[in-house]
Amino acid sequence: WVQEEAPDVLCLQETKCSEGSVPAEVRDLPGLPHQFWSSAKDRPGYSGVGLLAKSEPINVTYGIGDPEHDPDGRVVTAEFPSLFVVCAYVPNAGRGLVRLEPRQRFDAAFLSFLRRLDAQKPVLLCGDLNVAHAEIDLCHPRANRASPGFTPEEREGFSRLLDAGFVDSFRHLYPEARGAFTFWTYLGGARARNVGWRLDYAVVSRRLLGDLCDCKIRSKAEGSDHCPVTALLAV
């Protein structure tokens, strides 16, 4: 699928492996020679992200400058001539919302980080943001108001991101699209019935909207409980 899609930049989340454990078939992907990996410190099999690029970035950074969350290996940022590309795996609030407060602290620190980047040049944020922002973004909103990923606190965190000058590219282009999900639990045949959530996003600085060509949810691409999202920009 990746070879057919032939992206300029490929962002992967929840990789759950160290840089030295990246499979050879990923290491050797044609057209993506510049690869940058971040994994959780002293926690094998937890979190982790990767950013793979066709062209060598100007600069690459890891984390968001936050000592609470940076050891989890959740963010890689690549600077290119016209924009920053941020690959992020946002923390889950956890069963019973036991990690909701740390999640809220991450949201605040991450927004500050994105604002600092945006002050330098436009930003494209790609990732599993672990939130369904609006009722249209999940199949059963009423039943999930207290579920991780759809609490008022998490949804407000995403609203603050939008209020800070960033745009949910898919919802900007397709404001009324229903059933547009990127995650389905493995249980109960949820994917076949499209009982899902939209948790994965391409978020852009507002001034990139003139360069935004499309944002596609690739729901036919299988191999995970999430599906890929493709952002097409003329930059």
Side-chain angles (χ1 to χ4, degrees):
W1 182 88
V2 172
Q3 292 182 54
E4 289 178 0
E5 191 75 357
D8 294 303
V9 180
L10 175 67
C11 296
L12 303 173
Q13 296 86 38
E14 201 173 4
T15 53
K16 296 187 176 183
C17 69
S18 66
E19 182 173 359
S21 302
V22 175
E25 59 267 32
V26 178
R27 281 278 187 203
D28 300 333
L29 276 171
L32 296 168
H34 306 286
Q35 303 190 8
F36 309 93
W37 304 93
S38 183
S39 58
K41 184 178 180 181
D42 301 323
R43 297 187 70 178
Y46 179 75
S47 188
V49 292
L51 188 150
L52 294 72
K54 182 181 295 185
S55 302
E56 186 174 7
I58 297 169
N59 187 44
V60 175
T61 60
Y62 299 85
I64 59 175
D66 182 272
E68 179 182 5
H69 294 101
D70 284 355
D72 287 349
R74 294 188 175 276
V75 178
V76 173
T77 301
E79 179 184 0
F80 294 96
S82 55
L83 79 171
F84 290 101
V85 178
V86 180
C87 172
Y89 174 45
V90 171
N92 190 300
R95 188 176 303 231
L97 304 179
V98 295
R99 290 189 50 79
L100 180 58
E101 289 186 9
R103 160 62 185 268
Q104 290 178 273
R105 292 195 296 271
F106 178 92
D107 284 350
F110 191 38
L111 178 54
S112 296
F113 171 75
L114 294 172
R115 279 175 154 160
R116 292 195 298 272
L117 293 181
D118 190 52
Q120 301 173 56
K121 62 176 66 174
V123 174
L124 167 62
L125 163 62
C126 301
D128 176 358
L129 305 189
N130 258 319
V131 62
H133 183 227
E135 292 193 356
I136 196 175
D137 294 318
L138 72 165
C139 191
H140 296 306
R142 290 186 181 179
N144 284 287
R145 297 199 185 282
S147 297
F150 197 59
T151 63
E153 293 87 350
E154 292 164 298
R155 295 168 67 190
E156 287 165 9
F158 193 86
S159 293
R160 283 192 289 273
L161 175 64
L162 301 184
D163 291 343
F166 297 93
V167 179
D168 173 354
S169 62
F170 178 83
R171 196 52 77 194
H172 172 78
L173 294 167
Y174 305 101
E176 304 299 328
R178 295 185 174 274
F181 306 135
T182 67
F183 164 81
W184 306 262
T185 177
Y186 284 126
L187 303 175
R191 189 160 187 169
R193 297 183 293 119
N194 199 29
V195 179
W197 298 57
R198 190 168 72 96
L199 301 178
D200 304 88
Y201 295 79
V203 173
V204 297
S205 297
R206 182 167 296 279
R207 62 191 185 279
L208 277 178
L209 286 180
D211 301 312
L212 177 64
C213 302
D214 209 344
C215 181
K216 294 291 190 183
I217 293 175
R218 306 301 198 186
S219 56
K220 302 296 185 186
E222 298 183 344
S224 170
D225 51 359
H226 291 252
C227 76
V229 175
T230 303
L232 300 166
L233 289 93
V235 295

